[in-house]
């Protein structure tokens, strides 16, 4: 009996010890799981709070930034259109046509997108009456058509300069004022036709947010693969394809310039025995600088908006590999709208004649105002500027 009792007691001890070990491991695994879950939730909460803080800061900045941008962008683009329309900037007629069209497109984007969309969203309580104006889907068609025109006018200008520099046989036929008018008219018509689908996709009621649009829409539309594909193609065509075209055309233009400039230098040095200045290359230089600066400005300021727009529609369609916070979209809007106000600065920096014309436009109303008071000293002061 004693031996049996001792054996039974030892077996129980082993069982109890094994159960205690398993219970201890279970508790450790449970606490580790709980600790990992709490740490994961803590990181998610910190990320969420950071996103909210960045969005809140952006909304505060936009309330100041958007009105200032509108106050500067409208008169600046109007002045640019007036100066370029006079044709006294030393540019060819086709280039002038494209630059005027780009300024008109930028002006329409400022009016339709910045003034009539983003400012009412930033100051929604002052624009509550727009909820009773059922025109949001018409507004969307006009807004996106103007945006397409603004972007594709830049592409057509880039292509015009590519033909003028790299294709001398086509230059006389394509790089003319008439051809520019036909191209710009075709782009405008296609942009309007392309964006009619927004009228049927969105409702007429304003939403006053950018998630995902500024108009109300049904869940069927938001989750529809057909509408999702149409919108995805829309974002590919603007600004995805223009990005690629502008980069390729500029790359080909740079390659042609480098090759031809080396050949011309060798030829002129061989014929004259020295390295004289080339007046043709000097005349091309400013046009080339203008082209590259406009292209770089477009690519840099539109990159954020393009990446987020394509990502959001792909995410809604099920390609959920990467996550981008909503403040990226707001940053995209900030940079994209800024691009509509920078071309005048680019012209003033790269074009001496335009800079002189801009000075005359700025001085003219001040001189006329001074004439009313017969202030000759002030008039002399502005003449010496």
């Amino acid at each position: 009996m004693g031996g049996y009792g001792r054996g039974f007691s030892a077996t129980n001890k082993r069982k109890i010890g094994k159960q205690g070990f398993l219970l201890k491991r279970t508790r450790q695994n449970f606490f580790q799981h709980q600790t990992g879950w709490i740490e994961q939730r803590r990181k998610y909460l910190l990320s969420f709070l950071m996103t909210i803080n960045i969005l809140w800061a952006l909304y505060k900045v936009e309330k100041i930034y958007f009105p200032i941008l509108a106050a500067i962008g409208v008169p600046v683009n109007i002045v640019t259109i007036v100066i370029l329309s006079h044709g006294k900037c030393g540019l060819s007629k086709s280039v002038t046509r494209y630059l005027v069209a780009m300024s008109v497109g930028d002006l329409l984007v400022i009016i339709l997108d910045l003034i009539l969309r983003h400012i009412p969203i930033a100051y929604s309580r002052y624009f509550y009456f727009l909820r009773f104006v059922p025109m949001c889907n018409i507004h969307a068609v006009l807004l996106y058509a103007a945006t397409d025109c603004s972007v594709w006018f830049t592409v057509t200008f880039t292509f015009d300069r590519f033909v003028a520099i790299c294709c001398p046989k086509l230059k006389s036929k394509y790089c003319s004022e008439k051809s520019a008018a036909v191209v710009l008219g075709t782009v405008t018509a296609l942009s309007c036709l392309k964006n009619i689908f927004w009228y049927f996709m969105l409702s007429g009621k304003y939403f006053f947010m950018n998630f995902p649009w500024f108009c109300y829409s049904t869940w069927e539309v938001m989750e529809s693969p057909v509408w999702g594909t149409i919108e995805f193609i829309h974002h590919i065509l603007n600004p995805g394809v223009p990005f690629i075209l502008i980069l390729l055309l500029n790359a080909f233009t740079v390659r042609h310039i480098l090759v031809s400039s080396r050949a011309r230098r060798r030829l002129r040095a061989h014929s004259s025995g020295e390295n004289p200045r080339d007046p043709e290359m000097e005349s091309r230089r400013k046009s080339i600088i203008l082209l590259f600066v406009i292209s770089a400005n477009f690519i840099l300021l539109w990159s954020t908006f393009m990446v987020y727009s394509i990502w959001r529609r792909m995410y809604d369609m099920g390609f959920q590999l990467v996550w981008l916070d909503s403040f990226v979209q707001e940053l995209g809007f900030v940079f994209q709208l800024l691009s509509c106000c920078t071309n005048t600065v680019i012209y003033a920096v790269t074009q001496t004649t335009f800079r002189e014309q801009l000075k005359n436009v700025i001085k003219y109303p001040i001189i006329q105002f001074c004439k009313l008071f017969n202030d000759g000293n002030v008039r002399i002061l502005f003449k010496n500027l």
Side-chain angles (χ1 to χ4, degrees):
M1 291 292 294
Y4 177 77
R6 286 193 300 272
F8 181 77
S9 176
T11 303
N12 285 343
K13 286 181 179 180
R14 285 195 298 270
K15 288 182 178 179
I16 291 171
K18 187 175 182 181
Q19 290 175 356
F21 175 75
L22 292 174
L23 180 62
K24 184 177 179 181
R25 287 290 302 271
T26 303
R27 286 178 178 176
Q28 289 178 350
N29 292 335
F30 174 77
F31 284 122
Q32 288 177 358
H33 176 73
Q34 288 293 101
T35 304
W37 183 84
I38 293 172
E39 183 67 19
Q40 183 180 3
R41 290 295 168 182
R42 188 182 70 84
K43 290 180 179 179
Y44 174 78
L45 181 61
L46 289 175
S47 176
F48 176 75
L49 291 175
M50 183 182 298
T51 302
I52 293 297
N53 289 331
I54 294 174
L55 274 174
W56 183 256
L58 275 173
Y59 288 147
K60 290 292 186 182
V61 170
E62 286 174 352
K63 284 191 172 184
I64 302 172
Y65 173 77
F66 285 153
I68 293 175
L69 193 64
I72 295 173
V74 171
V76 157
N77 278 287
I78 291 175
V79 168
T80 303
I81 293 169
V82 171
I83 293 175
L84 292 173
S85 298
H86 281 79
K88 298 180 180 179
C89 296
L91 301 170
S92 66
K93 291 184 178 181
S94 64
V95 170
T96 302
R97 282 265 186 171
Y98 285 114
L99 296 184
V100 170
M102 289 163 60
S103 297
V104 172
D106 289 343
L107 179 62
L108 290 175
V109 171
I110 291 172
I111 295 172
L112 294 169
D113 199 359
L114 177 57
I115 297 176
L116 297 180
R117 174 189 179 183
H118 287 285
I119 290 179
I121 290 175
Y123 294 91
S124 56
R125 61 177 179 173
Y126 299 109
F127 292 88
Y128 190 80
F129 66 92
L130 288 177
R131 292 184 181 272
F132 306 100
V133 182
M135 295 184 62
C136 190
N137 49 359
I138 299 175
H139 182 187
V141 172
L142 296 175
L143 186 156
Y144 291 118
T147 305
D148 279 3
C149 287
S150 177
V151 171
W152 281 97
F153 287 165
T154 305
V155 177
T156 55
F157 169 69
T158 307
F159 183 74
D160 178 85
R161 292 299 85 200
F162 167 77
V163 172
I165 295 171
C166 303
C167 308
K169 293 182 179 179
L170 295 176
K171 180 179 178 181
S172 59
K173 295 182 179 179
Y174 182 80
C175 301
S176 64
E177 188 177 10
K178 183 179 179 180
S179 297
V182 172
V183 170
L184 294 171
T186 304
V187 169
T188 303
L190 292 176
S191 298
C192 294
L193 291 174
K194 167 183 169 291
N195 290 284
I196 290 177
F197 79 92
W198 292 106
Y199 179 83
F200 304 98
M201 182 176 175
L202 306 176
S203 70
K205 189 176 181 181
Y206 283 92
F207 186 47
F208 289 118
M209 292 186 72
N210 290 314
F211 300 107
W213 310 288
F214 65 103
C215 303
Y216 276 99
S217 182
T218 62
W219 282 106
E220 288 78 8
V221 169
M222 294 181 66
E223 296 178 353
S224 170
V226 176
W227 287 115
T229 304
I230 292 174
E231 189 190 0
F232 181 74
I233 293 172
H234 165 78
H235 290 305
I236 291 295
L237 293 176
N238 181 25
V241 174
F243 261 60
I244 297 172
L245 290 177
I246 288 175
L247 288 173
L248 288 176
L249 291 172
N250 282 331
F252 291 144
T253 304
V254 169
R255 179 178 175 278
H256 179 84
I257 290 171
L258 292 176
V259 173
S260 60
S261 61
R262 290 196 195 108
R264 287 181 65 87
R265 278 199 300 267
R266 286 197 300 266
L267 181 62
R268 291 177 65 85
H270 179 73
S271 60
S272 60
E274 53 184 6
N275 190 19
R277 293 179 59 185
D278 189 345
E280 183 176 347
M281 295 303 295
E282 289 289 332
S283 65
R284 284 186 181 183
R285 186 173 61 88
K286 290 184 179 180
S287 178
I288 294 167
I289 292 174
L290 177 63
L291 168 66
F292 290 162
V293 173
I294 290 176
S295 301
N297 173 72
F298 170 76
I299 291 171
L300 290 175
L301 295 181
W302 274 80
S303 295
T304 306
F305 178 77
M306 182 195 72
V307 170
Y308 186 87
S309 298
I310 295 176
W311 166 84
R312 185 188 60 77
R313 182 39 80 179
M314 291 183 67
Y315 189 87
D316 291 343
M317 294 171 67
F319 299 94
Q320 302 176 355
L321 300 177
V322 182
W323 172 256
L324 293 178
D325 288 313
S326 54
F327 68 82
V328 178
Q329 181 188 37
E330 295 300 320
L331 282 175
F333 286 133
V334 167
F335 294 139
Q336 177 225 337
L337 293 170
L338 178 62
S339 69
C340 297
C341 305
T342 53
N343 282 347
T344 303
V345 178
I346 293 172
Y347 303 154
V349 171
T350 59
Q351 303 293 313
T352 306
T353 310
F354 181 88
R355 188 162 58 247
E356 294 299 324
Q357 294 291 325
L358 182 61
K359 287 181 181 179
N360 293 335
V361 169
I362 295 173
K363 290 190 293 184
Y364 180 78
I366 302 175
I367 293 174
Q368 295 300 317
F369 179 78
C370 294
K371 279 183 179 180
L372 296 176
F373 298 95
N374 295 321
D375 194 344
N377 293 328
V378 176
R379 190 176 177 186
I380 293 173
L381 175 63
F382 280 103
K383 282 185 177 180
N384 294 328
L385 288 178

